[in-house]
Amino acid sequence: MSDLTTAEANKNLVQPAGGIPAPGDKSNSTIISSSPYHGLWALTNRELKKWYKNPVILLLSLIQPVLWLGLFGKAMNFGAIFTDGAFSIPGLNIPKEIINQLGTMLMLNVFGTTDYFSFLAVGMLSFIVLFTAMFSGMSIVWDRRLGTLNKVMSTPVARGSIVMSKILSSVIRSLVQASIILVLAVLLGMNISNITAIGVLGTFASLALLSFGFSAIFLMLALRSTNQNTQMAVVNLLNLPLLFGSNALFPASFMPEWLQAFVKINPISYATDIGRQMLLGAGGMGTLAFDFAYLTAFAAAFSIVGIMLSWRLLTK
Amino acid sequence: MFNLTNVVMEMNGEMDANGGRRTIMQIRDLKKVFNGTVVAVDGVTFDVYEGEIFGFLGPNGAGKTTTISMLTTLLRPTSGTATVCGFDILKEPNEVRKRIGVVPQEYTADEDLTGYENIMFCADLYGIPRRISRERADELLRLVELEVAKDRKVETYSGGMRRRLELACGLINHPRVLFLDEPTLGLDVQTRAAVWQYIRKLKEEYGMTLFLTTHYLEEADALCDRIAIIDHGKIVKIGSPKELKDSLGGDVIELGVQESDDDLTPLISSVQHVKEVKRVSPSEYRIKSELGEVTAPMVIDALRSKGYRVNKISLTRPTLDQVYLELTGKSIREENGDRTQAMRQRMIMRRARS
């Protein structure tokens, strides 16, 4: 009861000070936009500027997937097992055509495409998205340590925009990097006979959704963290299980049942599946509609939770 | 709770007594407890008037930064209320944020970006239209004399330049209240003086209220209109530097006279402004008085007129250091006496704050 009186008294007492500017006070000329999204682009742009102004980081981040693509994709030449004269059974004279036919069928059956390199190239697109998203949490840890986060929070920028800008910049970075990987893969011999504009657009849409979800998850993990080492440890702990527990490197049919079950809930599998269906014309593990629905739900759920947590956790 | 209302009523009465100055910030019983045990701010109540420079002084871990963090809406108080520019920090934090500028202790400018890009980034956070923000950025960069360096990356800036850039960024929204947390921490003496010059210039230019914390007592003494000394999360004294110094009992005059058996204490006590006289030795007296520079000659005259000769005199004015020492029990420079304890406290605080 008395609380209320105090609050009212405060208002009455101070309100005039807010209304009438003192002489020489220029604050009344301050124009502040009322849009709740102001600052979102400024924050996103800041992240992007730091990134594209430092091409070394971009190059370094591309090295790993390109190495995987080059070494893994070219060395694991599964197709070669079954091609001309790859093997012969003593006493049986199997015509080469039959062996080749058999090989093609086996490859199509297991990988959905006749060459492993193309199969892996699509998987690498998801890989680069996952890696970029994992490190998106690091920037918020740095911002907190350097005091930048506090500085931003003392401005009227919406708390949700702070998290959203980090997610957006991570999505944009991922897509740029994925484009570069795709071009490199084509140059290295990826099968492009089935590529269409719609296929490329659909693939990138799925990658964007994947990036949204994962960036939100890793940002949430970093919201209260002040220690970049913890964040690094979490990233190292999760990256390989997430990658190998998906169909990005190998088809799920290779795997034991318990791992297949994990592949089925891992969103990376769905983004990769979309890519393989739309870029390579391969048969997938689900329909395109289901894959997209799954990824959309994944992205939406974690972005919303991320924004809600940012309201709670950013202000202590 | 009920006496809070009374405080407000009294404040209403005091408005006129304060030369009609308006209250721009009201802090009432503000409290912050971290992790349920560490009491960082223990119920502070004070007012800040429009247009003044208000200084917050205290040893490390006294609660200065925590108080600033609450007033700038970064931390939620555990209990108590505060209004800034008439808006409640809990109920309308966004209205508060629009009207304040913050210059944090740390260097927050982005090293990878140029000075100009940094200031424009700040402008965008406030949603200031480009047309206006460009003009303001140029004006502010000129004021802090960073025009020449504005297109250089911040990583090439010196400490003083960075501090000036932070100042400019804090002013981009033309705030009514500017919060400065240790604005000269870690700067050398000349740079400190320069930074203060900028702060004063900016204040004159924009006519705002300044709320600052500092370690440097001389600075607080020279710059602040009013000072609050905070220790263990509580405000132990508040007033103008002069009031604080006067609270020690005024100036000290030490007097040497030709040795005599007469006790001159009654004679000296009769002089105007003299508050306390103590005979230290048969020929030495220690006088506490207000307006020492006026009183000292009057004491000499009084003694001479009775035929006593003064052969030695010294006048000591109290410093803020002495006030600080008396109130917090430690000199601001020796506050890390018990280092392990201080370190532990800082670690707790840091962890608690994160």
Side-chain angles (χ1 to χ4, degrees):
Chain A
M1 195 53 217
S2 70
D3 254 357
L4 240 170
T5 332
T6 314
E8 262 168 62
N10 283 352
K11 269 261 160 66
N12 292 340
L13 179 62
V14 188
Q15 211 56 286
I20 311 157
D25 181 358
K26 298 182 181 176
S27 63
N28 55 336
S29 66
T30 302
I31 296 163
I32 285 166
S33 92
S34 51
S35 156
Y37 303 108
H38 76 83
L40 176 60
W41 177 243
L43 284 162
T44 311
N45 196 26
R46 166 176 170 260
E47 301 282 328
L48 292 177
K49 258 188 196 163
K50 285 163 77 83
W51 171 67
Y52 67 70
K53 282 196 166 185
N54 200 342
V56 178
I57 293 177
L58 173 65
L59 284 175
L60 283 175
S61 65
L62 288 174
I63 286 177
Q64 206 178 6
V66 168
L67 275 179
W68 280 62
L69 203 54
L71 297 178
F72 226 87
K74 290 291 182 190
M76 292 259 190
N77 196 355
F78 290 105
I81 300 173
F82 299 106
T83 38
D84 310 344
F87 65 91
S88 61
I89 302 167
L92 275 177
N93 191 11
I94 308 168
K96 277 177 188 165
E97 294 77 39
I98 293 186
I99 292 181
N100 287 354
Q101 194 87 33
L102 211 69
T104 311
M105 273 176 66
L106 268 168
M107 285 300 288
L108 275 174
N109 207 15
V110 175
F111 294 97
T113 174
T114 48
D115 82 301
Y116 179 68
F117 182 80
S118 302
F119 177 90
L120 185 72
V122 177
M124 281 301 112
L125 299 180
S126 306
F127 173 101
I128 188 88
V129 166
L130 173 69
F131 266 57
T132 309
M134 282 183 147
F135 288 98
S136 65
M138 297 292 281
S139 75
I140 212 162
V141 178
W142 273 112
D143 280 359
R144 187 186 284 289
R145 281 183 80 100
L146 296 176
T148 317
L149 188 61
N150 272 351
K151 169 79 196 170
V152 171
M153 297 232 302
S154 71
T155 70
V157 117
R159 312 291 95 159
S161 293
I162 298 172
V163 167
M164 203 30 102
S165 71
K166 302 261 179 208
I167 297 179
L168 273 180
S169 72
S170 164
V171 171
I172 294 170
R173 276 187 320 214
S174 301
L175 294 186
V176 171
Q177 287 168 329
S179 315
I180 299 172
I181 296 290
L182 185 60
V183 169
L184 287 173
V186 169
L187 291 178
L188 287 169
M190 182 180 162
N191 180 357
I192 50 166
S193 55
N194 289 308
I195 282 187
T196 60
I198 291 179
V200 173
L201 278 179
T203 304
F204 276 85
S206 76
L207 293 176
L209 289 169
L210 184 70
S211 177
F212 240 93
F214 273 120
S215 305
I217 289 175
F218 285 98
L219 271 162
M220 272 186 263
L221 292 175
L223 272 182
R224 283 306 273 270
S225 171
T226 47
N227 189 340
Q228 67 270 45
N229 294 328
T230 329
Q231 195 65 18
M232 284 294 280
V234 171
V235 167
N236 278 329
L237 181 73
L238 293 178
N239 71 39
L240 289 184
L242 276 173
L243 195 62
F244 279 91
S246 78
N247 60 5
L249 306 177
F250 304 109
S253 55
F254 269 30
M255 301 172 187
E257 228 157 87
W258 59 267
L259 194 53
Q260 286 198 25
F262 181 72
V263 171
K264 287 246 163 62
I265 56 166
N266 190 344
I268 298 173
S269 308
Y270 291 92
T272 314
D273 196 45
I274 290 174
R276 290 201 179 120
Q277 292 192 42
M278 298 192 82
L279 291 178
L280 305 175
M285 60 181 222
T287 62
L288 277 180
F290 180 78
D291 288 355
F292 270 113
Y294 189 90
L295 283 175
T296 308
F298 168 69
F302 285 102
S303 314
I304 290 168
V305 173
I307 288 173
M308 274 163 49
L309 273 182
S310 70
W311 290 334
R312 270 201 59 74
L313 295 186
L314 284 177
T315 313
K316 284 156 279 175
Chain B
M1 271 300 134
F2 281 101
N3 57 358
L4 261 185
T5 320
N6 289 338
V7 173
V8 174
M9 301 303 282
E10 271 170 37
M11 281 308 309
N12 258 324
E14 260 176 33
M15 285 276 283
D16 298 325
N18 251 299
R21 280 205 283 176
R22 298 193 188 95
T23 310
I24 197 152
M25 287 204 277
Q26 284 192 317
I27 293 90
R28 294 289 173 270
D29 203 26
L30 206 60
K31 198 169 185 171
K32 182 71 189 182
V33 183
F34 288 114
N35 296 348
T37 47
V38 186
V39 183
V41 176
D42 193 5
V44 296
T45 296
F46 61 97
D47 287 279
V48 176
Y49 303 117
E50 188 156 22
E52 75 177 341
I53 303 186
F54 190 91
F56 226 47
L57 276 181
N60 274 337
K64 289 171 293 178
T65 302
T66 309
T67 308
I68 276 210
S69 297
M70 287 192 281
L71 293 178
T72 54
T73 73
L74 297 180
L75 273 181
R76 278 194 208 99
T78 310
S79 66
T81 59
T83 59
V84 177
C85 305
F87 295 97
D88 192 293
I89 56 165
L90 273 176
K91 290 182 199 126
E92 294 165 293
N94 244 7
E95 296 302 317
V96 173
R97 290 176 195 135
K98 282 179 196 169
R99 287 164 180 81
I100 60 170
V102 180
V103 181
Q105 229 176 72
E106 304 95 344
Y107 296 114
T108 60
D110 211 308
E111 294 199 342
D112 302 325
L113 307 183
T114 67
Y116 187 75
E117 283 170 334
N118 265 296
I119 198 165
M120 290 307 276
F121 169 64
C122 289
D124 288 343
L125 291 181
Y126 287 96
I128 303 167
R130 271 293 145 110
R131 175 173 53 84
I132 296 166
S133 60
R134 271 196 212 106
E135 214 173 277
R136 281 194 192 172
D138 287 336
E139 181 188 327
L140 284 165
L141 286 168
R142 194 168 52 244
L143 268 170
V144 298
E145 292 174 56
L146 283 178
E147 268 173 311
V148 189
K150 71 174 185 174
D151 293 320
R152 261 165 51 196
K153 275 192 180 183
V154 172
E155 63 187 6
T156 66
Y157 282 23
S158 68
M161 287 166 83
R162 283 188 193 209
R163 203 29 97 189
R164 270 141 60 194
L165 181 64
E166 299 285 340
L167 271 177
C169 284
L171 287 164
I172 192 75
N173 63 327
H174 287 176
R176 296 175 53 91
V177 184
L178 182 67
F179 290 89
L180 301 144
D181 197 1
E182 301 277 0
T184 51
L185 191 72
L187 298 179
D188 60 65
V189 182
Q190 277 147 323
T191 318
R192 258 164 62 191
V195 166
W196 276 117
Q197 224 181 324
Y198 290 116
I199 291 178
R200 251 182 271 172
K201 195 158 79 179
L202 295 168
K203 184 183 141 45
E204 271 163 36
E205 192 79 11
Y206 297 108
M208 62 207 158
T209 309
L210 291 185
F211 185 98
L212 61 96
T213 68
T214 179
H215 254 75
Y216 302 108
L217 291 163
E218 324 84 71
E219 278 181 2
D221 196 359
L223 284 154
C224 295
D225 297 311
R226 285 195 312 137
I227 289 169
I229 294 179
I230 182 169
D231 197 22
H232 300 302
K234 285 195 155 109
I235 288 186
V236 285
K237 197 91 186 177
I238 190 161
S240 69
K242 188 178 173 308
E243 280 165 5
L244 293 188
K245 285 182 280 188
D246 287 350
S247 72
L248 285 183
D251 304 341
V252 174
I253 302 166
E254 279 171 323
L255 209 62
V257 292
Q258 236 164 11
E259 205 157 332
S260 84
D261 292 336
D262 307 345
D263 186 358
L264 303 177
T265 309
L267 178 58
I268 298 171
S269 298
S270 67
V271 177
Q272 209 189 342
H273 302 310
V274 170
K275 284 161 75 178
E276 196 187 311
V277 185
K278 201 170 158 194
R279 195 176 187 189
V280 187
S281 76
S283 62
E284 281 175 330
Y285 294 86
R286 200 180 152 88
I287 305 160
K288 271 193 178 180
S289 88
E290 284 166 7
L291 301 170
E293 73 275 25
V294 182
T295 314
M298 284 170 22
V299 171
I300 298 172
D301 284 345
L303 291 173
R304 256 200 206 135
S305 66
K306 300 284 180 205
Y308 300 102
R309 221 174 64 134
V310 178
N311 54 21
K312 207 172 78 188
I313 191 161
S314 79
L315 172 64
T316 321
R317 329 205 65 169
T319 63
L320 215 46
D321 283 88
Q322 285 166 318
V323 180
Y324 188 87
L325 188 67
E326 180 148 322
L327 291 173
T328 65
K330 52 203 148 197
S331 158
I332 203 152
R333 284 179 195 81
E334 296 162 4
E335 66 194 26
N336 290 342
D338 184 351
R339 273 167 74 191
T340 46
Q341 204 208 331
M343 194 123 91
R344 191 179 308 141
Q345 176 138 24
R346 255 178 287 152
M347 269 178 61
I348 292 170
M349 299 289 290
R350 195 176 300 154
R351 233 175 256 159
R353 278 181 198 144
S354 60

